[in-house]
Amino acid sequence: MSTAEEVLALALARPAALGAGRLICLDGPSGSGKSTLARAIADLTPSSVVHTDDLCPGWDGVPELTGIITDLLTPLARGLSGAYPRYDWITERVAESVDVQPGPLLILEGVGAGARAWAPWTTVLAWIDASEAVRQERAFARDGDYFRRYWAAWARAEDAFFAAEDVRARADLVVDTTA
């Protein structure tokens, strides 16, 4: 069974908690493989995917993610559509509002996805990790030199969030994608 199949099976074995739908949260440090896993799960079943990279308002925006994501999830938990401001990393400002309709499965992936604030709505929380060397290689291949100058500061912000939220320890599943 693939990791995507394992995460999906775990989610489907549990009751819906985000309104009538299920919420899979994939969290972990940059370059660990969260987006890749989210795509693999979405390929298995009808779902929506929200990337926290689209919500994070800039390189120092990690502390703001919890409020932004709570604003998205709260209406979804009531069976209503939610929305979030999509941040454009090139222009360094909000580009537009993105609507998210309630559905059977929402995959929230990215740094900040595992906050305690929406734990009651979370069906599965998975911690995705890899060695720092592998994560850096992936991140720089994905984002080029643009990310390189922010890597250390971003890693500190991630670490602070992960420590405050105790994400790894609360995860239902821990996945190492180093290999």
Side-chain angles (χ1 to χ4, degrees), residues 9 14 17 27 34 36 43 54 71 80 92 94 105-106 109 114 128 131-132 145 151 155 166-167 173 179:
R14 294 178 174 177
D27 208 337
K34 300 174 300 292
T36 300
D43 286 346
D54 289 342
D71 289 347
L80 304 171
E92 298 183 357
V94 171
L105 181 64
L106 176 63
E109 76 81 19
I128 316 304
S131 71
E132 184 172 355
D145 285 335
W151 177 264
D166 204 22
V167 180
L173 186 65

Side-chain angles (χ1 to χ4, degrees), residues 8-123:
L8 181 59
L10 184 57
L12 295 177
R14 294 178 174 177
L18 184 65
R22 290 172 174 81
L23 175 62
I24 295 175
C25 297
L26 307 176
D27 208 337
S30 185
S32 62
K34 300 174 300 292
S35 297
T36 300
L37 180 55
R39 277 191 302 276
I41 296 167
D43 286 346
L44 296 172
T45 190
S47 56
S48 297
V49 179
V50 172
H51 307 279
T52 64
D53 286 354
D54 289 342
L55 285 72
C56 188
W59 292 109
D60 58 354
V62 171
E64 296 177 53
L65 277 171
T66 301
I68 294 168
I69 296 170
T70 299
D71 289 347
L72 165 66
L73 297 178
T74 298
L76 292 169
R78 295 192 312 253
L80 304 171
S81 63
Y84 63 87
R86 187 186 69 77
Y87 185 78
D88 183 319
W89 289 85
I90 303 303
T91 64
E92 298 183 357
R93 61 188 167 108
V94 171
E96 73 267 341
S97 180
V98 177
D99 292 325
V100 178
Q101 298 301 312
L105 181 64
L106 176 63
I107 303 165
L108 178 64
E109 76 81 19
V111 172
R116 284 187 180 96
W118 48 87
W121 300 325
T122 301
T123 310

